[in-house]
């Protein structure tokens, strides 16, 4: 059974920049991954399989329940059947999420022509919620829940 989610080698530098620098928007690379998956879904980007895995995969145990709910919602959107959130389909569900995160990262890299600046990521976040103030790290779960109508 799959117990981690991979990142693509081609985007590892962007993951590191967005999730590991001292002054950062996201609390962790896990949050970057969730954001990227949501960007792909929001922008209507198809899943993008990972060709070469890069860096340390993110352990599923790091994901909070809110994150796991987002993973379930994305899988339900893609699969169209509640069966995808059963234990038997866990690997498939995580692969769906992984590939949406990869598609979102591809979108970010293409849109900003490489590693985005903080202001560029904030502009992308503003497309979800323009009234956002940036005094604290972004709570991805709140952002998603506000975006679902």
């Amino acid at each position: 059974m799959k117990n981690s989610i991979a990142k693509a080698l081609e985007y590892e530098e962007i993951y590191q920049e967005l999730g590991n620098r001292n002054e950062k928007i996201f609390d962790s690379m896990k949050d970057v991954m969730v954001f990227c998956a949501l960007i792909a879904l929001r922008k209507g980007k198809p899943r993008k399989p990972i060709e070469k895995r890069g860096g340390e995969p993110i352990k599923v145990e790091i994901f909070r329940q809110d994150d796991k709910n987002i993973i379930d919602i994305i899988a339900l959107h893609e699969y169209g059947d509640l069966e995808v959130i059963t234990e038997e389909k866990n690997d498939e569900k995580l692969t769906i999420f992984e590939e949406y995160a990869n598609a979102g990262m591809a979108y970010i890299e293409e849109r900003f022509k490489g590693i985005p600046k903080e202001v560029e990521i904030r502009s992308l976040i503003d497309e979800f919620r323009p009234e956002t103030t940036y005094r604290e790290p972004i709570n991805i779960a709140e952002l998603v829940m506000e975006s679902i109508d």
Side-chain angles (χ1 to χ4, degrees), residues 15-140:
Y15 270 109
Q16 293 295 329
E17 188 67 22
L18 296 178
N20 272 342
R21 66 179 169 195
N22 290 337
E23 295 177 22
K24 59 187 177 179
I25 297 172
F26 300 99
D27 285 335
S28 66
M29 272 194 264
K30 176 228 9 138
D31 289 336
V32 173
M33 184 172 270
V34 172
F35 179 70
C36 287
L38 292 169
I39 287 295
L41 197 63
R42 174 99 183 220
K43 298 293 183 179
K45 300 296 178 186
R47 292 166 40 188
K48 182 180 181 198
I50 294 176
E51 293 176 22
K52 285 190 174 188
R53 298 173 186 275
E56 287 290 317
I58 300 173
K59 298 282 185 194
V60 173
E61 64 197 39
I62 292 173
F63 288 81
R64 297 183 321 249
Q65 188 57 50
D66 289 344
D67 302 321
K68 291 176 182 177
N69 292 344
I70 292 167
I71 292 169
D72 286 347
I73 290 168
I74 291 171
L76 282 168
H77 169 80
E78 179 71 13
Y79 203 76
D81 188 335
L82 285 172
E83 181 183 352
V84 76
I85 61 172
T86 63
E87 190 64 33
E88 296 81 31
K89 296 285 186 175
N90 188 63
D91 289 1
E92 186 174 347
K93 173 179 69 173
L94 295 178
T95 298
I96 290 168
F97 173 73
E98 187 177 84
E99 291 178 355
Y100 267 107
N102 198 41
M105 188 57 83
Y107 172 82
I108 288 170
E109 196 260 349
E110 180 181 310
R111 177 172 169 169
F112 300 114
K113 308 295 183 233
I115 299 174
K117 296 177 178 122
E118 182 177 331
V119 68
E120 293 170 326
I121 288 295
R122 291 188 188 283
S123 74
L124 189 54
I125 292 167
D126 285 345
E127 293 176 21
F128 278 92
R129 188 174 68 186
E131 72 281 358
T132 301
T133 57
Y134 300 104
R135 298 200 168 112
E136 298 179 15
I138 295 164
N139 182 321
I140 296 295

Side-chain angles (χ1 to χ4, degrees), residues 128-129 131-132 140-149:
F128 278 92
R129 188 174 68 186
E131 72 281 358
T132 301
I140 296 295
E142 286 178 17
L143 191 64
V144 171
M145 296 314 292
E146 290 175 8
S147 295
I148 297 174
D149 295 67

